[in-house]
Amino acid sequence: MAKNYLPFDDEYFDKIVEDAFSPEAEVHVFSDRYKQRKERLMRKNNKRNYKKPVFSKKSIFAMVAAAAVVVAVPTSVYAGSRIYNAYMTEPAKYQRDITIDVGENPSMEIKALNVGWVPEDMKMHSGAEHTSLMKYGADTDDMRGISVLFWKIPTGDDVFQESIKSAVTSDSYTDSNGNNVILIGHGQDLHEKHDEAWVAFKDTPYAAQVYIMGDVSDEERDKILENLSLESWDTEVAMDWSENQRSEEPVEYYEVVTKVDTSSIKLANIGEPITSVEEIQEKGTYSVEATINDIRIQNNFDGITTDSFNNSADYSEYTNPDGTVKDNIRTWYRYGDGVNTLDEKAYEETLAQSVVVVDVTYKNTGDIDWDECICSSMVRIDDDGNILDYTQGSEDMDYNDSMHDLKVDDMMFSISTDYAMSKNHLEPFKAGDTVNVQMAFLVNTEDLPDLYLMLQPTGVDISEEIGRGTAFVDLSFLADKNK
């Protein structure tokens, strides 16, 4: 694999220098649009650019949220003829800047991305071939996988630039297909190690962004990248990398604490049927009735043998030698700026854990089959009506939980039922059918006095339904049982 570390192809370099310093070169006048964008970016640069997501087994194939600043630079700063050019620079210890200039005459033929090779143990987990997002993972190891994003980058008077922070290692080269490849390694205590790669397809407005997670060897990574190619396609499938694609405000990964009127919360009791709002469809009416049969607390995983998708699961890694649930070790990190400093460990705290098991009977009381989401979650609401978010960090610090894999989105870590399921959905939930479902949640023991179960017969979102009839179960009684 031939590698070329110069940002420009050799045959063009002399011409670029000659044109740039020519006495006939025009003085560029920046557009108002460029000036406005520059002002916004300068203001943004004085704030925190982003809060960092915590990678976990359940979120490892999730699309990595934007942590970069996109700048449109008028390409006429390069006087003379523009050529295709893609390269990386290192303006600071932990910052890497990627530039892709498609030149004056890129091929505008519509293309789709072909992922030509992945390791044999990986299969597509979501997305579809020749689309803008494809995710592959190994069934035997949910820490091992890749996410491939397909971008259409700016053309015309704009040059694509992205600043990537918290880069520990980096490399750039030209592969055997003539494409420019940029590799950036991320790895520190707050985040699980992962690589980010960009493949810029020469003389086209297309680029692939690849996140390589977990135990993927360098040889496998290089072969994945080498076998990415473009195919002629009828319709545009690439995501448009535009100003609207990236927010002008810092990206927030955590919900703010919300205050609610506790008198507006509909409380449900064990054994009391809860009926959702009827959904009137073209073929009939769907409604579901949910009845909580039992709620109990335990300090072990006895009787829990499935994951949140009703698949077989082993919880021995979360268990002490005596069979009890391990404590959650919360490690706090102080943010680095991602440019000259990385995040650093500040301190740890130990949080005792409890398992809350909920048995629910669902009944399709409508006259059509339906896709019913099992989407219940735990919510903390204090005496003043404040909804307290488990994952609320601070402006300068964030944390990582050792038991995070079982606490994602405050939802259940286990669903158990004999009914047909697709992930965490009863699908299809046939008209007139009744199904029993067991759900298990891992919670901080100290949170029990403020804990509510939000039962969602229709999978609604709390921010929309907090005062509109969604049923909540006050779980404070479990605190007394736990004593």
Side-chain angles (χ1 to χ4, degrees), residues 55 60-64 115 117-119 122 134-137 142-149 173 181-187 191-199 208-226 228:
F55 295 107
I60 200 163
F61 299 116
M63 177 178 173
V64 179
V115 180
W117 183 88
V118 295
M122 290 189 189
M134 291 161 273
K135 303 175 185 179
Y136 299 83
D142 54 8
M143 297 290 287
R144 171 179 162 84
I146 63 171
S147 292
V148 184
L149 290 77
Y173 59 88
V181 180
I182 295 171
L183 280 174
I184 296 174
H186 303 271
H191 305 294
E192 294 173 10
K193 179 184 180 297
H194 68 283
D195 289 339
E196 177 179 353
W198 285 81
V199 178
Q209 182 183 19
V210 186
Y211 291 99
I212 302 105
M213 305 290 191
D215 186 21
V216 176
S217 69
D218 291 349
E219 291 76 14
E220 289 175 321
R221 177 201 64 200
D222 292 344
K223 190 171 181 180
I224 291 169
L225 301 178
E226 182 77 15
L228 294 177

Side-chain angles (χ1 to χ4, degrees), residues 48 50-54 190 251-257 330-335 347 349 380 387-401:
R48 281 213 53 79
Y50 63 101
K51 289 184 179 179
K52 304 172 181 63
V54 177
L190 181 56
V251 178
E252 297 291 341
Y253 290 88
Y254 305 106
E255 293 182 78
V256 297
V257 174
R330 176 167 292 175
T331 305
W332 285 89
Y333 297 87
R334 184 169 289 104
Y335 287 137
Y347 62 92
E349 57 180 324
R380 292 167 60 206
I387 297 179
L388 308 175
D389 193 342
Y390 282 125
T391 54
Q392 187 70 38
S394 69
E395 191 68 21
D396 301 317
M397 298 183 70
D398 198 3
Y399 62 78
N400 189 12
D401 284 338

